[in-house]
Coordinates of all heavy atoms in Angstrom, one line a residue:
L142 N -11.3 0.8 -13.1 CA -10.0 1.4 -13.6 C -8.9 0.6 -12.9 O -9.1 0.1 -11.9 CB -9.9 2.9 -13.2 CG -10.6 4.0 -14.0 CD1 -10.4 5.3 -13.4 CD2 -10.1 3.9 -15.5
R143 N -7.8 0.6 -13.6 CA -6.6 0.1 -13.0 C -5.5 1.1 -13.0 O -5.1 1.6 -14.1 CB -6.1 -1.1 -13.9 CG -5.0 -2.0 -13.3 CD -4.5 -2.9 -14.3 NE -3.6 -4.0 -13.7 CZ -2.6 -4.6 -14.3 NH1 -2.4 -4.3 -15.6 NH2 -2.0 -5.5 -13.7
L144 N -5.0 1.4 -11.9 CA -3.8 2.2 -11.7 C -2.5 1.5 -11.6 O -2.5 0.4 -11.1 CB -4.0 3.1 -10.4 CG -5.3 3.9 -10.2 CD1 -5.2 4.7 -8.9 CD2 -5.6 4.8 -11.4
S145 N -1.5 2.1 -12.1 CA -0.1 1.5 -12.1 C 0.8 2.5 -11.5 O 0.7 3.7 -11.7 CB 0.3 1.1 -13.5 OG -0.5 0.2 -14.1
C146 N 1.8 2.0 -10.9 CA 2.9 2.8 -10.3 C 4.2 2.1 -10.5 O 4.4 1.0 -10.0 CB 2.7 3.1 -8.8 SG 4.0 4.0 -8.0
A147 N 5.0 2.8 -11.3 CA 6.3 2.2 -11.6 C 7.4 2.9 -10.8 O 7.5 4.1 -10.7 CB 6.7 2.3 -13.1
A148 N 8.2 2.1 -10.0 CA 9.3 2.6 -9.2 C 10.6 2.5 -9.9 O 10.9 1.5 -10.5 CB 9.3 1.9 -7.9
S149 N 11.5 3.5 -9.8 CA 12.8 3.5 -10.3 C 13.8 4.2 -9.3 O 13.4 4.8 -8.4 CB 12.8 4.1 -11.7 OG 12.5 5.4 -11.7
G150 N 15.1 4.1 -9.7 CA 16.1 4.7 -8.8 C 16.6 3.7 -7.8 O 16.8 2.5 -8.1
N151 N 16.8 4.1 -6.5 CA 17.2 3.2 -5.5 C 16.1 2.4 -4.9 O 15.6 2.6 -3.8 CB 17.9 4.0 -4.4 CG 19.2 4.7 -4.8 OD1 19.9 4.1 -5.7 ND2 19.5 5.9 -4.2
I152 N 15.7 1.4 -5.7 CA 14.5 0.6 -5.3 C 14.9 -0.5 -4.4 O 14.0 -1.1 -3.7 CB 13.8 0.0 -6.6 CG1 14.8 -0.9 -7.3 CG2 13.3 1.1 -7.4 CD1 14.2 -1.6 -8.5
F153 N 16.1 -0.9 -4.2 CA 16.5 -1.9 -3.3 C 16.1 -1.5 -1.9 O 16.4 -0.4 -1.4 CB 18.0 -2.2 -3.3 CG 18.4 -3.3 -2.4 CD1 18.2 -4.6 -2.6 CD2 19.0 -3.0 -1.1 CE1 18.5 -5.6 -1.8 CE2 19.3 -4.0 -0.2 CZ 19.1 -5.3 -0.5
G154 N 15.4 -2.4 -1.2 CA 15.0 -2.0 0.2 C 13.6 -1.5 0.4 O 13.2 -1.2 1.5
I155 N 12.9 -1.3 -0.7 CA 11.5 -0.9 -0.6 C 10.8 -2.0 0.0 O 10.7 -3.1 -0.5 CB 10.9 -0.5 -2.0 CG1 11.6 0.8 -2.5 CG2 9.4 -0.3 -1.8 CD1 11.1 1.1 -3.9
Y156 N 10.1 -1.8 1.2 CA 9.4 -2.8 1.9 C 8.0 -2.7 1.8 O 7.2 -3.7 2.1 CB 9.9 -2.9 3.3 CG 9.5 -1.6 4.1 CD1 8.3 -1.4 4.7 CD2 10.4 -0.5 4.2 CE1 8.0 -0.2 5.5 CE2 10.2 0.6 4.8 CZ 8.9 0.8 5.5 OH 8.6 1.9 6.1
V157 N 7.5 -1.5 1.4 CA 6.0 -1.4 1.3 C 5.7 -0.4 0.2 O 6.4 0.6 0.0 CB 5.3 -1.0 2.6 CG1 5.8 0.4 3.1 CG2 3.8 -0.9 2.5
M158 N 4.7 -0.7 -0.6 CA 4.2 0.3 -1.6 C 2.7 0.4 -1.4 O 2.0 -0.6 -1.0 CB 4.6 -0.1 -3.0 CG 6.1 -0.1 -3.3 SD 6.5 -0.5 -5.0 CE 5.9 1.0 -5.8
G159 N 2.2 1.5 -1.7 CA 0.8 1.7 -1.5 C 0.2 2.8 -2.3 O 0.9 3.6 -3.0
W160 N -1.2 2.9 -2.1 CA -1.9 4.0 -2.8 C -2.6 4.8 -1.7 O -3.3 4.3 -0.8 CB -2.9 3.4 -3.7 CG -2.3 2.9 -5.0 CD1 -1.9 1.5 -5.1 CD2 -1.9 3.5 -6.1 NE1 -1.4 1.3 -6.3 CE2 -1.3 2.6 -7.0 CE3 -2.0 4.8 -6.6 CZ2 -0.8 2.9 -8.3 CZ3 -1.5 5.1 -7.8 CH2 -0.9 4.1 -8.7
Y161 N -2.5 6.1 -1.8 CA -3.3 7.1 -0.9 C -4.1 7.9 -1.9 O -3.8 8.0 -3.1 CB -2.3 8.0 -0.2 CG -1.6 7.2 1.0 CD1 -0.6 6.3 0.7 CD2 -1.9 7.5 2.3 CE1 0.1 5.7 1.7 CE2 -1.3 6.8 3.3 CZ -0.3 6.0 3.1 OH 0.4 5.3 4.1
R162 N -5.2 8.5 -1.3 CA -5.9 9.5 -2.1 C -6.3 10.7 -1.3 O -6.4 10.7 -0.1 CB -7.2 8.8 -2.6 CG -8.2 8.4 -1.6 CD -9.3 7.5 -2.2 NE -10.3 7.1 -1.2 CZ -11.3 6.3 -1.5 NH1 -11.5 5.8 -2.8 NH2 -12.2 6.0 -0.6
V163 N -6.5 11.8 -2.1 CA -7.0 13.0 -1.5 C -8.2 13.4 -2.3 O -8.1 13.7 -3.5 CB -5.9 14.1 -1.6 CG1 -6.4 15.4 -1.0 CG2 -4.6 13.7 -0.9
A164 N -9.4 13.3 -1.6 CA -10.6 13.7 -2.2 C -10.9 15.2 -2.0 O -10.4 15.8 -1.0 CB -11.8 12.9 -1.6
P165 N -11.7 15.8 -2.8 CA -12.0 17.3 -2.6 C -12.5 17.6 -1.2 O -13.4 16.9 -0.8 CB -13.0 17.5 -3.7 CG -12.8 16.5 -4.7 CD -12.4 15.3 -4.0
G166 N -11.8 18.5 -0.6 CA -12.2 18.9 0.8 C -11.9 17.9 1.9 O -12.4 18.1 3.0
K167 N -11.1 16.8 1.6 CA -10.8 15.9 2.6 C -9.4 15.7 2.8 O -8.5 16.1 1.9 CB -11.5 14.5 2.2 CG -13.0 14.6 2.2 CD -13.6 13.2 2.0 CE -15.1 13.2 2.1 NZ -15.7 11.8 2.0
Q168 N -9.0 15.0 3.8 CA -7.6 14.8 4.1 C -7.1 13.5 3.3 O -7.9 12.7 3.0 CB -7.4 14.6 5.6 CG -7.6 15.9 6.4 CD -7.2 15.7 7.9 OE1 -7.3 14.6 8.5 NE2 -6.8 16.8 8.5
R169 N -5.8 13.4 3.2 CA -5.3 12.3 2.6 C -5.6 11.0 3.4 O -5.5 11.0 4.6 CB -3.7 12.4 2.5 CG -3.0 11.3 1.7 CD -1.6 11.6 1.6 NE -0.9 11.6 3.0 CZ 0.3 12.1 3.2 NH1 1.0 12.6 2.2 NH2 0.8 12.0 4.4
E170 N -5.9 9.9 2.7 CA -6.2 8.7 3.4 C -5.5 7.5 2.6 O -5.4 7.5 1.4 CB -7.7 8.4 3.5 CG -8.4 8.2 2.2 CD -9.8 7.7 2.3 OE1 -10.2 7.3 3.4 OE2 -10.5 7.7 1.3
L171 N -5.2 6.5 3.5 CA -4.6 5.3 2.8 C -5.8 4.5 2.2 O -6.8 4.3 2.7 CB -4.0 4.4 3.9 CG -3.6 3.0 3.5 CD1 -2.4 3.1 2.5 CD2 -3.2 2.2 4.7
V172 N -5.5 4.1 0.9 CA -6.4 3.3 0.2 C -6.1 1.8 0.3 O -6.9 1.0 0.8 CB -6.5 3.7 -1.3 CG1 -7.4 2.7 -2.1 CG2 -6.9 5.1 -1.5
A173 N -4.8 1.5 0.1 CA -4.3 0.1 0.2 C -2.8 0.1 0.1 O -2.2 1.0 -0.5 CB -4.9 -0.8 -0.9
D174 N -2.2 -0.8 0.8 CA -0.8 -1.0 0.6 C -0.4 -2.5 0.6 O -1.2 -3.3 1.0 CB 0.0 -0.2 1.7 CG -0.2 -0.7 3.1 OD1 -0.7 -1.8 3.4 OD2 0.0 0.2 4.0
I175 N 0.9 -2.7 0.2 CA 1.3 -4.1 0.1 C 2.7 -4.2 0.4 O 3.6 -3.4 0.0 CB 1.0 -4.7 -1.4 CG1 1.4 -6.1 -1.5 CG2 1.7 -3.8 -2.4 CD1 0.9 -6.8 -2.7
T176 N 3.2 -5.1 1.2 CA 4.6 -5.2 1.6 C 5.3 -6.1 0.6 O 4.7 -6.7 -0.3 CB 4.7 -5.9 3.0 OG1 4.2 -7.3 2.9 CG2 3.8 -5.2 4.0
S177 N 6.6 -6.1 0.8 CA 7.4 -6.9 -0.1 C 7.2 -8.3 0.0 O 7.4 -9.2 -0.9 CB 8.9 -6.6 0.2 OG 9.2 -6.9 1.5
G178 N 6.6 -8.8 1.1 CA 6.2 -10.1 1.3 C 4.8 -10.5 0.8 O 4.4 -11.6 0.9
G179 N 4.1 -9.5 0.4 CA 2.8 -9.7 -0.1 C 1.6 -9.4 0.8 O 0.5 -9.6 0.5
G180 N 1.9 -9.0 2.0 CA 0.9 -8.7 3.0 C 0.1 -7.4 2.5 O 0.8 -6.5 2.1
T181 N -1.2 -7.4 2.6 CA -1.9 -6.2 2.2 C -2.8 -5.7 3.3 O -3.1 -6.3 4.3 CB -2.9 -6.7 1.0 OG1 -3.7 -7.7 1.4 CG2 -2.0 -7.1 -0.2
D182 N -3.1 -4.4 3.1 CA -4.0 -3.7 4.0 C -4.9 -2.8 3.1 O -4.4 -2.2 2.2 CB -3.2 -2.9 5.0 CG -4.1 -2.3 6.1 OD1 -5.1 -2.9 6.4 OD2 -3.7 -1.3 6.7
Y183 N -6.2 -2.7 3.5 CA -7.1 -1.9 2.7 C -8.0 -1.0 3.7 O -8.3 -1.3 4.8 CB -8.2 -2.8 2.0 CG -7.5 -3.6 0.9 CD1 -7.1 -4.9 1.1 CD2 -7.5 -3.1 -0.4 CE1 -6.5 -5.6 0.1 CE2 -6.9 -3.9 -1.4 CZ -6.4 -5.1 -1.1 OH -6.0 -5.9 -2.2
A184 N -8.3 0.2 3.1 CA -9.3 1.0 3.9 C -10.6 0.2 3.8 O -11.0 -0.4 2.8 CB -9.4 2.4 3.2
D185 N -11.4 0.4 4.9 CA -12.7 -0.2 5.0 C -13.6 0.1 3.8 O -14.4 -0.7 3.3 CB -13.4 0.1 6.3 CG -12.8 -0.6 7.5 OD1 -12.0 -1.6 7.3 OD2 -13.0 -0.1 8.6
S186 N -13.5 1.4 3.4 CA -14.4 1.9 2.3 C -14.1 1.2 0.9 O -15.0 1.3 0.0 CB -14.2 3.4 2.1 OG -12.9 3.7 1.8
V187 N -13.0 0.5 0.7 CA -12.7 -0.1 -0.5 C -12.6 -1.6 -0.5 O -12.4 -2.2 -1.5 CB -11.4 0.6 -1.2 CG1 -11.5 2.0 -1.2 CG2 -10.2 0.1 -0.4
K188 N -12.7 -2.2 0.7 CA -12.6 -3.6 0.8 C -13.7 -4.3 0.0 O -14.8 -3.9 0.0 CB -12.7 -4.0 2.3 CG -11.5 -3.8 3.1 CD -11.7 -4.2 4.5 CE -10.4 -3.9 5.4 NZ -10.6 -4.3 6.8

């Protein structure tokens, strides 16, 4: 699957965007994020 997220409004200055998830019965966790410079970070479970 491919997820998309479109940002609008006061978008100037957004330095990082990412995806989090909440699974049934679990806490929110970071899935992946990416900085304005292209640096990325991933949860071990999705690498």
Side-chain angles (χ1 to χ4, degrees):
L142 280 176
R143 187 193 196 205
L144 305 183
S145 300
C146 172
S149 62
N151 291 330
I152 59 174
F153 179 80
I155 292 177
Y156 63 90
V157 63
M158 294 185 72
W160 291 93
Y161 289 72
R162 67 186 180 187
V163 180
K167 296 188 177 181
Q168 292 185 333
R169 184 178 65 196
E170 65 170 346
L171 172 68
V172 178
D174 63 22
I175 184 166
T176 67
S177 56
T181 59
D182 191 25
Y183 293 92
D185 288 342
S186 59
V187 307
K188 284 180 181 177

